[in-house]
Amino acid sequence: MSLPPAWARALLKVVLPASRLDDVLGDLKEVHSSGRRPQRLMRAWFAASLEALRIVGAFLIYRSRRWRTGFMTQWVTWLELKLGWRLMRKQPLLAIACVLALAIGIGLATIGFTLRDAVLTDELPFEGGDRFVLLTIHREPDGRRVPLDLERFDLFRNNADSLDYLGALRPALLNILHPSGDVESIEGTYLTPSSFRFLPFPPSIGRSLTTADGQPGAAPVVLIGESFWERRFHRDPAAVGSRIEISGESREVVGVMSKDFQFPFKGQLWLPLDERNLGAGSSGNPPPAIRVFGVLEEGSSLRSAQAQLDSLSSRVDALHPSRPARRIVVDSFPQGFVGGPADLMTTVLVAVLVLVLVVIAANVANLILARTSSRLSELAIRSALGAGRGRLVGQVFLEVVLLGVVAAGLGLAAAATTLGYLRRMTDDIPFWVTFVPTWRTMFFVTAITLLASAVAGALPALKATRQDPANRLLSHWRGGQVGLGRLGGLLIVAEIALSVAALGGAAVMARALIGHLNRDFGLPSNRILTAQIYVEPTADAQAAGREQEYLTQTQLEVIQAARGLPGVAAAGAATQVPRMDPPARPLAVASEGDEAESAPRSGPVAGAGPGFFKALDVEALAGRLIAEPDVATGAPPVAVVNQPFVERFLAGRNPIGRRVRIASDEGDPAEQWRTIVGVVRDLGLSAADDSSSAGIYIPMQIGQNGYFLLVMRAQGDPLQLDMPLRREILKIDPSIRVSHVALLEDVGKEDRTFFSVAGSSLVAISAAGLALSMMGVYAILSFAVQTRTREIGVRMALGAARGRILWSLVGRSSFYLAAGAAIGSLLAWALTQARGIFVTRLPTDGPGWILLLVVVLLAVAGLIASWVPARRALGIRPAEALRE
Amino acid sequence: MGTQVLGEFELMVLLAALRLGENEAYAVAIVDEIHRRTGRVVQRASVYVTLQRMEDKGLVSSRLGDPLPERGGKSRRYVRVEAAGIEAVRSARAALRSMWTGLAPLAEES
């Protein structure tokens, strides 16, 4: 047993100056061991520990007194803290305004930086997650993404020293047949099983996948997730060893993974992928959906891995000069999945939020300025009594920090709540995106906001204390001014402009939402069921070169099976259904007779298969609808247009027999002229934006690709068709994926949620911004009245009209309001035009009507903000003002 | 700079250090000396902090002695009262004497 004990020595080491530690320890040993006062060991141990604690306590107090004395005597005392608190209580509105402003800034910045961190993270959130990388292969020279060939895969696996492991995965929507006969589609992943060596997630029960599971001829097994285990097996440990039918194949459950395990994206089932050929059929190529990933060797970097793989890949290209070369891109796993425009969007988002933060900090400075100016006398007198400039400025600085501490608590709580809400609203995001602000983010944002505001708040005090105090008092009593002047005005203009722009954005979202909610296209939407169907050619079909034939035949079988279900009145296929807002394409109409040639105009294009319009219970307004012969190979190209198309493209003229073409910027000769054979009413091709509703329907070629939408009109409750449909499809091909089964009236729900959330957020931001702007106007006007009391008194005594006096006060703030409204409206219009960067399905016609709303709103708000100071100004009695 | 004004405890520590001399005055001995001469039990922690404060003010200086086996090979830190410390002690004595003038009967009663 050592004296003093190890923990006491550690504490002393922290607290004592380094030069004192040894001699203090020596004294303790000398006193409490046999040296000076022999005593029993335990007693000595306790005594030494107690004394060590006394020494630690004494030095802690000594150090804290030294620090406090230094800081306090130079900058501020407890007295000043109390004074600051008292002053804030005297002006509660101002304090509340500052706290709200700072809270909004901190909250918004925290949300922005957290979203950015979530999108731009480079690491998977588990031990070793920073070593996971994703390989993307591009075909040169067109850069198109292609699957990795097995030859390259083997070469990389055997020769790339920079990679500790190379594996592959394929996300899949799997059909589970339950004992009850129900069929459920669940997201799962085929994964090379030896990758589990690098995933630090032990199974809850049973085992995870092993290398043996990925060998050719191995027994089919599956690893299930905890949620699936709860739902299917009610957490029964006997699930391990039981069998499940997955996409037509019976597999043994070998283990259950905890809820923490979501690799590679999210899902509930993990199936072994053949380690050697990655599920390649007799064609020799892995399926297109295969993604290749790796684990970097310890100490290797992305760059070194990239260089090595480039070198290895070029060897394969050299062996096959007739084939297009491949370009390998190695990226961190999360970035490999996300990447692309998300980068730009989040960077723009952060830039906007930082701008908002700057404006808010400046607004706080404006408010502090007004307050500081009202205390000029006090500051001057304190300065005359001996208070240093640093002390005076330090007090203002401290007051802003005090406000900021309260604001930080509010802002961070609001940010955490909002992020939690966003997380619950979004389904389809990877497991590594948690939307939880890190401590580092919260600290950084709070520190930056407080620092910016404190500095901005201290600047007016610096300016106010620049002059000799006596001169400062004299000039104040003579009606001199202290202020940020033009800078303060610019800040208010910027704030108003941002608020107006946000209001414009909110109005656009509101219009889109209203378009979705209120438009009734006369369809029996609550009796129509839609489902997304994806068919993949089997390995045999691929081997025989019959992919197209297989797709066509299978898709027709699915449509026939749907038509044959009891309770189905009609069924058909399409590429889009109403309210899905297909992307707009340039449409050209051939001129006839003496008509002038018109340039192509944008309009939505949807593919309609046989039975589509019948399933929607729609009849032609003129001509006929798309029929079975139109979808046959080699059939003459036709189109059906909607009523808005007739009005906008043909000015109401008869469309039957006219020709329309999907133009292309490159003048693609493959786009052919189509004869218009029929007209239907507006069926909601573009629900969010009326101005883009004029479009056409073209025959959908069954089997052209693996994906289509099945549309079924039911005689009774359409939701009862879900399970029977899945069972029939399972009989045709167990690997067919059925997803997004929903009533037609629920289509576009995600868009409506997005418009609703985005609109509400923008309204909140706009309202907050406008409120802060009005407070800024109020502050500036109050300050102006206060410092110009004497001048106003003199002018009134000389007979100046009250109107002229009023205008001299509010004229400048009216200018700020008008300038902010004008700039903000331009900004709102520009953002609307650039909406294509963010969301395409938004109304295009600018927020013209909101200009009037904005002008009215601003005028009313400006009137309110100006009213109190203006009343005060007009209530000044000249005699009293001159006496002051 | 004027003479430092000493607190009561600072005075006792300085006096104990002066009595022990610069080759014997270290924290443990100072505590024992104060106890022996005044009967007061003082905490070594207070002595450490006081010595640190007085060293910061320049009233004392310190040096490490040779390592000793009974202290686990650690050295003692010996204290030397500097000229400023001696001056402060003298000033404190003069002040006390001045305050005691005319109170001799009170002093004799104890």
Side-chain angles (χ1 to χ4, degrees), chain A residues 119-120 136 331 334-348 837:
Chain A
V119 171
L120 299 183
T136 332
D331 213 341
Q335 289 305 303
F337 253 102
V338 173
D343 254 5
L344 172 67
M345 281 181 65
T346 46
T347 303
V348 167
I837 295 174

Side-chain angles (χ1 to χ4, degrees), chain A residues 195-236:
Chain A
S195 57
F196 276 85
R197 286 190 284 128
F198 299 91
L199 296 167
F201 294 93
S204 301
I205 55 171
R207 64 169 178 86
S208 59
L209 299 178
T210 64
T211 309
D213 295 322
Q215 298 302 317
V221 297
V222 63
L223 199 55
I224 63 176
E226 200 168 313
S227 303
F228 183 81
W229 182 42
E230 279 178 24
R231 281 190 296 109
R232 166 77 180 244
F233 296 100
H234 309 293
R235 302 185 72 90
D236 182 0

Side-chain angles (χ1 to χ4, degrees), chain A residues 793-816:
Chain A
V794 167
R795 288 176 71 184
M796 286 175 85
L798 291 174
R802 291 157 80 88
R804 284 183 77 103
I805 292 174
L806 208 55
W807 178 250
S808 74
L809 284 170
V810 304
R812 182 172 284 187
S813 56
S814 304
F815 169 75
Y816 295 154

Side-chain angles (χ1 to χ4, degrees), chain A residues 374-399:
Chain A
S374 71
R375 295 164 59 196
L376 279 177
S377 306
E378 173 218 328
L379 290 175
I381 289 168
R382 286 186 68 196
S383 179
L385 289 174
R389 196 177 177 203
R391 201 174 188 117
L392 296 175
V393 173
Q395 172 154 15
V396 177
F397 190 94
L398 194 68
E399 285 165 17

